[in-house]
């Protein structure tokens, strides 16, 4: 069974908004066995929306739209869908009651524009949107189905989880994806290592390489024809072949793998960050439950903070520079002592665009890992662009920590 | 002049990767006066890529593709483009020389799969990719043009900036977007405030509302027919009408507005973060030049860190709880003193999913701003979902700081 997503909004096509919705929806659709065939982003214009609907329904039976359901004039999705499905707007007493209750304490929201939100297409099934005013709409025509949702990510997510996904017919075939992650081998060398494996794969199984920030995710995919046992056998072969580089047998982000391992062992962690500037801290506490292992961080961006808060020796800062082994070692050990943790990570590097030297070009990052059994440090060269350098530094810091705690 | 983007890769359609490329490309295209008409994400299959190319070239004259140019078997874009444009692969001496030089110190990368990267379509113009091995390809057919780029974001960005954009014909018409940002008014109330303005706008000008994290971006757009003067007059009217809520006259992110203001006045800042966990720090040093004003942060996730590193009184933590006015005031003042800055922001809240109480439900966030003229504090209710709460907290913290320093 196949679906398509149509995201509606000029903001996507002029670059004011990154479409994070589609990836989230794609993942959830795959989990329930529905293949997402295409994603299309279109303008808030009648002709464009209708053309995209026509094309999508020629390819698939399920179309999910996001966006264009707000109360303002630039939001036209509801009216266009009425025209497309040959229906018209009527007042919904239940949507009205919901909106009046949702904004009971906000008279400034309960105005005549918000009142247009309780007008709904007569022929559509209206599903409750418990976190917003835009009604969720389900249109059915023969075997085809269209679900229209708001583009606000958290409204869309609740709509999908609670209302849309449970109403999509369960497919009889399975989609199976199995992903492992490797580190420390170039993509092309990995592909050569796996050449025989790829040649011998059944034709209905695909292998994909997804390199990012120094990690390559290897994904085996089968749509329909492969059994779980068969895929597990292939995956085990892949695990064996990549054993020297493998860091995980799942698609979970590195910070989740680290969190799991720390929770299992009851260990705690802190970070002392210069070039990563809090990004490593934010990664470690991004997911629920992080207070069990994550204590805190010092972001020592300025050298005075390295000296005064982390007690890095001024002599070492002068002699070796802030991006150096002695400095990251002291940063890691100091924050570990300050926050009474089992582990600590320190980063100091040149994220650019300025500050590079011939000896330490932009992209040079020193890191240290302080543990109950001593401290290790290592220097990396992580690219040329600010965001790339800091992202890769976080990944490298966590991969190395994972190796230490495993 | 119109363009479309086709992003190629199963990873986008199973949700393993969020497409951040398209928004970046969209913004750059708009800046040079090219309207991005549609974005389409397709699978790594021959039929799907060819169908998308056919459809796109029926609508526009410029097609930009990303993805599928790696050396592994799942990357098929180059071969499919050869078939589509009726050409075949030949060895390129210049691409070969570039790749051999790029990986001179990486014999593990210079293998026979990487060698396939210097095979290029004979009829395409090959542009240099100075940061990777995948050649950039430009196909021309009559008035139509296709540019193929890697999907790796930083390779794509350098390709667009240095090679593709300069080769796209300059349109004779202008696209004008003008954006301002407001805060503190619901979207529907804003639309009512602007009803007369919208009614009186010329028909070729559009107004869009983009709410996110408590800020609404209001965008005036005109494709071709409006003059700069005319748009400026409309924009000035909009500025006047929104004067009570307006926080910026540009589309720049709040952290950039804060950075500019701090640099102008030579002031410095630090943060003390509990619930935002380093996200606020990472925002403040995300852009180049942040070392001029951003000194550092203490992420005091655990209460012991609040006591021991920031000197928050244990009595106050016990009596009022970590999410309270006395605690955030002490956090802000303490980090301001510790890091010798002019300003400091502190956050402490319940990001959930656990930890909420009837008095302080999930989404409750206390914040304080310490300044040379004293400290202010405020409590917010910022939603129900972890990521939404911490994102909104960062935005609220920076908006309030901006109001203080302006």
């Amino acid at each position: 069974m196949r679906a398509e997503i149509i995201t509606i909004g000029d903001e996507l096509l002029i670059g004011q908004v990154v479409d994070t919705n589609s990836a989230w929806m794609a993942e959830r659709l795959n989990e329930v066995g529905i293949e997402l065939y295409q994603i299309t982003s279109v303008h808030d214009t009648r002709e464009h929306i209708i053309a995209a609907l026509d094309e999508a329904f020629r390819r698939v039976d399920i179309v999910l739209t996001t966006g264009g359901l707000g109360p303002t004039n630039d939001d036209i999705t509801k009216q266009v869908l009425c025209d497309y499905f040959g229906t018209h707007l009527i007042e919904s007493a239940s949507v009205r009651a919901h909106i009046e209750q949702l904004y009971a304490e906000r008279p400034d929201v309960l105005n005549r524009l918000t009142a247009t939100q309780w007008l709904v297409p007569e022929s559509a099934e209206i599903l409750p949107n418990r976190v917003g005013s835009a009604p969720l709409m389900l249109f059915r025509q023969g075997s085809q189905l269209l679900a229209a949702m708001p583009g606000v990510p958290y409204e869309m997510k609740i709509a999908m989880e609670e209302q849309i996904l449970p109403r999509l017919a369960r497919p009889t075939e399975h989609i199976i994806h199995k992903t492992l992650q490797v580190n420390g081998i170039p993509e092309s060398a990995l592909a050569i290592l796996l050449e025989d494996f790829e040649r011998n794969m059944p034709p209905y199984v695909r292998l994909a390489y997804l390199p990012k920030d120094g990690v390559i995710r290897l994904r085996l995919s089968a749509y329909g024809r492969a059994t779980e046992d068969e895929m597990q056998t292939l995956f085990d072969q892949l695990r064996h072949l990549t054993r020297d580089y493998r860091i995980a047998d799942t698609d979970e982000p590195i910070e989740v793998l680290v969190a799991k391992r720390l929770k299992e062992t009851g260990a705690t962690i802190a970070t002392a960050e210069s070039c990563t500037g809090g990004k490593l801290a934010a990664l470690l506490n991004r997911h629920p439950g992080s207070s069990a292992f994550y204590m805190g961080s010092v972001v020592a961006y300025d050298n005075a903070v390295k000296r005064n808060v982390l007690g890095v020796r001024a002599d070492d800062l002068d002699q070796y520079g802030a991006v150096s082994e002695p400095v990251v070692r002291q940063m890691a050990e100091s924050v570990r002592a300050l926050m009474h943790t089992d582990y600590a990570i320190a980063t100091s590097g040149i994220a650019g665009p300025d500050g590079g030297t011939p000896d330490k070009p932009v992209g040079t990052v020193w890191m240290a890992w302080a543990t109950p059994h001593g401290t290790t440090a290592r220097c990396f060269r992580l690219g040329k662009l600010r965001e790339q350098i800091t992202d890769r530094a976080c990944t490298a810091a966590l991969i190395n920590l994972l190796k230490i705690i495993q």
Side-chain angles (χ1 to χ4, degrees), chain A residues 19 135 195 217 255 268 272 289 362 391:
Chain A
D19 172 24
E195 226 161 27
R217 288 185 282 180
E255 75 271 14
T268 57
V362 167
D391 282 346

Side-chain angles (χ1 to χ4, degrees), chain A residues 173-195:
Chain A
E173 295 191 320
H174 290 293
I175 299 176
I176 305 175
H177 298 295
K178 289 189 179 287
T179 300
L180 59 80
Q181 301 179 62
V182 302
N183 161 247
I185 181 171
E187 186 185 8
S188 56
L190 181 65
I192 289 174
L193 179 72
L194 300 176
E195 226 161 27

